[in-house]
Amino acid sequence: MNKKLIAALMMSMFLIGCSGSEETTNTDTIEVVESNEIVEKVESSIIESEETEEKLIEEKLVEEKPAEVKSVKKKPAVVKSSLFEKRTENIEMHIYGAEVPWGEPKMDLPEDSYTSIAVALNNAIAGDTIIVHEGVYREALNIKFDNITIKNFEDDYVLVTGTELVTGWQPALDHPTPGVMVAPVNERWAKATTDFTQVFVNGKMGEMGRHPNRTLDSMMMPTIEGGGYDEVSSIYKNANEPGNVTFNNGLPDLDLVGGLFRGLIGKAREYAIGHVVAKEGDKIQFEAVSKNNWSNEASIVAESYHKFGFGTIMHKNLIDVPGEWFLEDNLLYYLPEDGQEMTDLIVEMQVREKVLLINNADNVLIEGINFKAGNASIKNMNDSKIIDCSLRYLHPFWLTTGYAQGSVNPTGIWVENSDGNIFEDTYIAHTWGTGLVLISGQGNTVKNCIIEDIGWLGAFSSGIYTEADETRIEDCTFRDNGRSQVRVRAHGKKTDIVHNEFVGAMRMTEDSGAIAAESTGWVGPLNMKGSEIAYNKIHDVQGLPVSSGAYVRQFMLGLYLEDTDDYTAHHNLIYDIRADNYETDLPLERFGGMLYMGPRYNAMHDPVNFYNNTAWNIEKVINVWNIEIANHEELLAEGLKQKDATGLMSDGHFANNIIQTGICDLSYMAQNITHTGGRISGATVEGGPKGLITNDLTEFFEHAATVGCQFNPENNYTFGLETATEHFVDVANGDFALNENSPAYQGGVVIEGITSSINPDAGALEGGGYVLTAGSTLEIPEFKEIR
């Protein structure tokens, strides 16, 4: 044993003090050795708790700063070591914030208290309770053992953040806008694992310098002036060359080379993201990083394939209004209000990707903690609770090469191989990426949460994405999502979605819905194992218009349940789904609908039940897309399991629904496909055309039965939009209770386990109108760092 090392360790403990109280605000920690023996070796480098993530972190080298920029001094490390035997009795550990911008930090700290949650965790044992007092904690929580409780003290506001302060501001003499200031990035940025950062000033999110400027509160209104996007035209790409777009309302006379281009052009899989490589007048060229037609060798013909789209550019030189910032060459640029001193501002930038990590821990309770500027990684956690918390600004802008769930899911709260957990009374909001991802596990519940403002990037983001089994989503409110608010990809697993409110889905894409599920990637339906979708309010879905070849359409729905069976949807209230948020002279097809169900080439033989739903102020009622598999015999010989040569629904049930008169569309075609359902080529439909478009729901059901889609309808009602007052109490204010003179009043059939009387009403309010109270009762916390 190295006696000198032992002596040094003993001396360091003496200097620090055995009481456990820290006198510094920094949250750096020296690695704690949890051994019962004296250690042979001590790491000399300062590390963070998030360095336990299961991936290598490439060091980002901080370049030399200009002479006029002051460097940031590194604060001393907080050290609290545990070198001898661990205790066995549980204790209550108190953490006091050394940084309380909205008040005064506690100065006379009790003995055995801490100023870092991470340090307390390093000294905790299973069964301890960590009580966190008022303050800002710039660290990540890494929980690795069972039966731990972390909660706020009484009503104290506790903020755990992935940001660090930025100081050393000087005038940016090289910037085209007078008044822009510049400072070196926080030194922790060298360890950052995200493409870009997020910046907050006095607690509020700042805007990356962009054109056009965003003047609306929403990050997801690209079709509206002030939304931060311009309509673009002259959209093309020559073979083996960069993409080209022209901004219809002009570009500023500035150098934008090196800037970031985000194009909402075509369908979501065609959206462009990349670097500006040239600018001429109002036209830019960009080199795409997205792996799609923008990075392929082939050309995109001008004014033919994409007739319009929407785009934004972000660049340092585009900082021109107070509150904007940009990060370039490890320097942060920011424009304050005229006459505002930087010393009067608290400027923070995100430097940690994650603010919460839990691995191999059961019976964990996290209560009353607010997380900001970071996402979460939860693996192998069972029978735990996260309640009365908030997680905001989960992920910054990034250069994604893909658009689907594999690209966006890791940017949210990732829950893997975890059973029996509860997320309750929690606020999840504000991110370029996704929200909560239940990637595997069983028996997890999300209850009375608000999940909003998710998916600014415009990709396959979701408020909640699940591949887990026995998931229950109940009493939650979803508001403003770039795409779907709940997306299910759990084949052969159950997801119950009950008594939630869904508002403002599909802000940045089209061709999906507020609640979505589909079996893309294999031949055969997605089986939902008896899932219940019930008592939900789904409304104000608009979507984004698309120009993609012959596809010039704006199409979005309340329920997008493509190729999905073995579920029951009942007592859902679906209303105000209309494609009316964009004006154009182009022949744009506009469809805001209630239900799309496939089945495409997939044979659905398990129940598909729609009972007592109400759909109002919509443009399309039901959309069915059926495909004959022209090469079915060939696929069977090669091992295809599906014995049916066409899509079908053999066990559908459609009863007691009230639907506004609208378009019912059955599209029917034939294709040669791959084993995973990919289209090889078109083919001729045997027996001639079999499609139908009609406003007559009865005619639609009868025709659908002739091509294998059995709805088995009973006591459904369709009413014209202009007759609302004849049937409902107060549609204008969302009250869809039936008037007694409506034929739908007591006009339903009895459905065991669904209806509540021997003379049930049709529609979603049957049984007392429980659906009208759908959504969360959670009150969004007061975020005290915002001033």
Side-chain angles (χ1 to χ4, degrees):
M1 182 70 66
N2 189 327
K3 295 181 178 180
K4 291 183 179 180
L5 178 59
I6 295 175
L9 289 171
M10 298 294 289
M11 180 62 71
S12 68
M13 290 182 65
F14 175 79
L15 292 174
I16 294 167
C18 296
S19 67
S21 299
E22 289 90 25
E23 299 180 358
T24 173
T25 63
N26 196 358
T27 59
D28 284 355
T29 64
I30 288 182
E31 183 175 354
V32 174
V33 180
E34 299 182 3
S35 172
N36 290 331
E37 299 179 1
I38 299 177
V39 298
E40 298 279 353
K41 177 181 176 182
V42 175
E43 290 288 339
S44 61
S45 61
I46 294 175
I47 66 169
E48 294 182 288
S49 59
E50 60 261 44
E51 287 180 324
T52 61
E53 293 182 58
E54 298 176 355
K55 63 179 179 179
L56 295 175
I57 300 175
E58 290 186 3
E59 292 289 336
K60 294 187 177 181
L61 299 178
V62 181
E63 298 176 4
E64 289 187 359
K65 313 300 186 300
E68 72 271 19
V69 179
K70 299 177 181 178
S71 62
V72 180
K73 291 184 178 180
K74 183 173 181 63
K75 294 179 286 187
V78 173
V79 180
K80 187 174 182 71
S81 298
S82 179
L83 298 173
F84 303 103
E85 287 191 6
K86 282 282 189 181
R87 57 184 165 77
T88 57
E89 294 184 3
N90 290 124
I91 63 172
E92 188 175 272
M93 311 168 78
H94 282 258
I95 321 297
Y96 291 88
E99 182 183 344
V100 187
W102 53 87
E104 294 294 330
K106 184 177 178 62
M107 302 303 294
D108 53 335
L109 300 186
E111 289 189 359
D112 297 318
S113 64
Y114 297 79
T115 59
S116 164
I117 308 170
V119 173
L121 277 169
N122 280 336
N123 286 272
I125 64 173
D128 281 351
T129 297
I130 297 175
I131 305 296
V132 189
H133 293 252
E134 196 94 5
V136 176
Y137 296 85
R138 302 186 186 279
E139 53 189 322
L141 306 190
N142 192 353
I143 301 169
K144 297 178 287 186
F145 46 87
D146 299 342
N147 304 309
I148 195 77
T149 293
I150 304 175
K151 61 189 298 184
N152 64 323
F153 175 75
E154 296 182 348
D155 293 326
D156 279 12
Y157 180 69
V158 174
L159 179 65
V160 175
T161 176
T163 65
E164 291 288 347
L165 296 170
V166 179
T167 58
W169 294 95
Q170 297 289 334
L173 303 180
D174 61 338
H175 199 277
T177 300
V180 170
M181 305 294 287
V182 64
V185 298
N186 185 280
E187 60 189 357
R188 288 182 180 273
W189 180 246
K191 294 182 178 181
T193 55
T194 58
D195 289 349
F196 296 94
T197 186
Q198 298 180 93
V199 171
F200 303 88
V201 180
N202 289 345
K204 297 179 182 178
M205 185 192 77
E207 179 88 80
M208 291 176 72
R210 72 191 293 173
H211 177 85
N213 289 322
R214 182 174 65 89
T215 58
L216 302 176
D217 287 338
S218 174
M219 290 281 285
M220 296 187 290
M221 290 189 175
T223 65
I224 299 175
E225 183 178 356
Y229 288 81
D230 190 11
E231 187 170 328
V232 295
S233 59
S234 299
I235 303 164
Y236 67 96
K237 185 179 81 69
N238 295 327
N240 300 305
E241 290 186 4
N244 297 264
V245 296
T246 296
F247 281 68
N248 289 1
N249 291 302
L251 288 171
D253 186 17
L254 295 168
D255 179 10
L256 301 181
V257 172
L260 307 170
F261 173 69
R262 180 45 163 164
L264 310 177
I265 299 171
K267 296 183 71 67
R269 63 176 176 266
E270 299 169 315
Y271 282 6
I273 192 166
H275 299 279
V276 178
V277 295
K279 172 182 175 292
E280 182 180 352
D282 298 331
K283 183 181 81 171
I284 64 158
Q285 288 189 320
F286 66 93
E287 197 74 55
V289 300
S290 44
K291 302 295 185 183
N292 56 18
N293 53 353
W294 292 106
S295 55
N296 293 340
E297 294 180 358
S299 62
I300 299 173
V301 180
E303 303 297 344
S304 174
Y305 194 76
H306 297 304
K307 299 175 180 62
F308 65 85
F310 306 90
T312 188
I313 301 175
M314 291 173 280
H315 193 282
K316 176 191 74 175
N317 290 342
L318 291 171
I319 299 174
D320 61 352
V321 295
E324 289 187 330
W325 62 271
F326 203 82
L327 178 65
E328 183 177 276
D329 296 332
N330 290 311
L331 296 173
L332 184 64
Y333 294 80
Y334 177 75
L335 179 59
E337 296 281 353
D338 189 32
Q340 195 173 48
E341 297 293 332
M342 295 302 296
T343 52
D344 295 332
L345 303 176
I346 299 175
V347 181
E348 306 161 281
M349 64 177 289
Q350 182 179 354
V351 296
R352 301 172 182 86
E353 180 177 353
K354 301 186 185 306
V355 287
L356 176 64
L357 300 99
I358 305 175
N359 197 4
N360 291 308
D362 297 341
N363 300 305
V364 172
L365 171 63
I366 302 177
E367 182 177 1
I369 307 297
N370 298 283
F371 296 92
K372 183 176 180 180
N375 53 38
S377 175
I378 298 171
K379 300 179 180 180
N380 311 305
M381 178 183 80
N382 303 305
D383 303 315
S384 299
K385 294 182 179 180
I386 295 178
I387 61 175
D388 196 26
C389 293
S390 70
L391 297 101
R392 296 172 293 144
Y393 303 100
L394 304 175
H395 203 82
F397 181 84
W398 82 102
L399 291 170
T400 175
T401 59
Y403 77 103
Q405 64 265 14
S407 298
V408 298
N409 281 349
T411 62
I413 303 162
W414 178 273
V415 182
E416 180 179 346
N417 194 33
S418 299
D419 301 340
N421 302 294
I422 297 174
F423 299 81
E424 187 171 0
D425 300 337
T426 289
Y427 181 64
I428 301 172
H430 315 310
T431 179
W432 287 90
T434 198
L436 173 64
V437 177
L438 302 170
I439 201 65
S440 58
Q442 182 173 336
N444 298 295
T445 298
V446 185
K447 185 173 182 180
N448 199 39
C449 297
I450 296 177
I451 301 172
E452 68 175 355
D453 201 25
I454 303 291
W456 302 339
L457 195 66
F460 263 58
S461 57
S462 309
I464 295 178
Y465 175 95
T466 178
E467 294 183 15
D469 195 9
E470 301 292 341
T471 300
R472 187 168 182 87
I473 302 167
E474 182 177 7
D475 296 331
C476 294
T477 293
F478 296 81
R479 288 191 289 251
D480 296 337
N481 286 74
R483 195 165 173 86
S484 299
Q485 290 165 322
V486 171
R487 186 161 183 249
V488 178
R489 291 277 287 165
H491 177 59
K493 300 174 184 177
K494 186 177 183 183
T495 302
D496 291 330
I497 305 169
V498 180
H499 204 239
N500 305 284
E501 182 171 23
F502 298 90
V503 190
M506 303 301 296
R507 293 288 189 191
M508 300 289 281
T509 57
E510 62 87 51
D511 196 13
S512 192
I515 299 175
E518 77 280 339
S519 68
T520 300
W522 68 86
V523 176
L526 184 146
N527 183 285
M528 291 188 70
K529 197 181 174 182
S531 294
E532 182 181 26
I533 302 172
Y535 297 106
N536 301 292
K537 284 197 297 186
I538 304 171
H539 57 101
D540 293 286
V541 182
Q542 288 191 317
L544 197 67
V546 161
S547 170
S548 179
Y551 189 98
V552 184
R553 183 178 294 179
Q554 186 171 352
F555 180 46
M556 67 285 165
L557 304 108
L559 298 172
Y560 186 97
L561 303 176
E562 182 177 68
D563 324 327
T564 302
D565 63 5
D566 202 1
Y567 66 91
T568 297
H570 67 91
H571 292 90
N572 297 291
L573 179 57
I574 303 168
Y575 61 98
D576 294 346
I577 304 180
R578 302 189 71 88
D580 58 4
N581 60 328
Y582 177 68
E583 295 183 7
T584 180
D585 294 329
L586 293 171
L588 180 68
E589 295 181 87
R590 301 175 186 268
F591 297 123
M594 178 188 77
L595 169 66
Y596 166 64
M597 56 197 312
R600 297 187 296 171
Y601 38 73
N602 302 290
M604 305 192 304
H605 290 294
D606 286 302
V608 175
N609 300 322
F610 277 82
Y611 301 134
N612 284 93
N613 301 287
T614 297
W616 201 254
N617 195 25
I618 58 177
E619 291 151 328
K620 182 173 270 193
V621 176
I622 301 175
N623 199 96
V624 170
W625 179 21
N626 204 83
I627 299 174
E628 291 180 0
I629 305 175
N631 59 333
H632 185 251
E633 292 297 326
E634 177 185 333
L635 294 177
L636 281 176
E638 296 173 358
L640 181 69
K641 301 298 184 183
Q642 179 173 294
K643 302 305 181 184
D644 299 282
T646 182
L648 57 84
M649 180 177 65
S650 65
D651 194 16
H653 304 273
F654 207 87
N656 292 353
N657 300 289
I658 299 175
I659 304 170
Q660 174 214 315
T661 303
I663 298 169
C664 299
D665 188 346
L666 190 152
S667 174
Y668 196 100
M669 60 185 61
Q671 291 180 359
N672 293 292
I673 66 172
T674 67
H675 280 275
T676 56
R679 183 181 186 274
I680 298 174
S681 63
T684 302
V685 173
E686 293 184 9
K690 298 178 183 180
L692 174 70
I693 298 176
T694 179
N695 280 4
D696 187 326
L697 186 62
T698 300
E699 180 187 18
F700 176 80
F701 287 150
E702 291 175 351
H703 180 80
T706 67
V707 294
C709 289
Q710 306 292 340
F711 283 87
N712 297 306
E714 290 185 88
N715 292 56
N716 299 292
Y717 297 86
T718 55
F719 303 132
L721 190 62
E722 70 283 356
T723 67
T725 56
E726 298 176 19
H727 304 284
F728 303 111
V729 170
D730 189 4
V731 167
N733 291 301
D735 188 347
F736 286 84
L738 287 171
N739 292 322
E740 292 186 10
N741 60 350
S742 172
Y745 180 76
Q746 296 186 353
V749 295
V750 174
I751 304 170
E752 185 177 355
I754 300 294
T755 54
S756 58
S757 71
I758 60 173
N759 295 305
D761 293 339
L765 273 68
E766 186 276 333
Y770 179 55
V771 67
L772 293 179
T773 62
S776 175
T777 60
L778 177 69
E779 292 186 10
I780 299 175
E782 176 192 358
F783 301 113
K784 287 188 176 181
E785 79 277 11
I786 299 176
R787 62 174 188 169

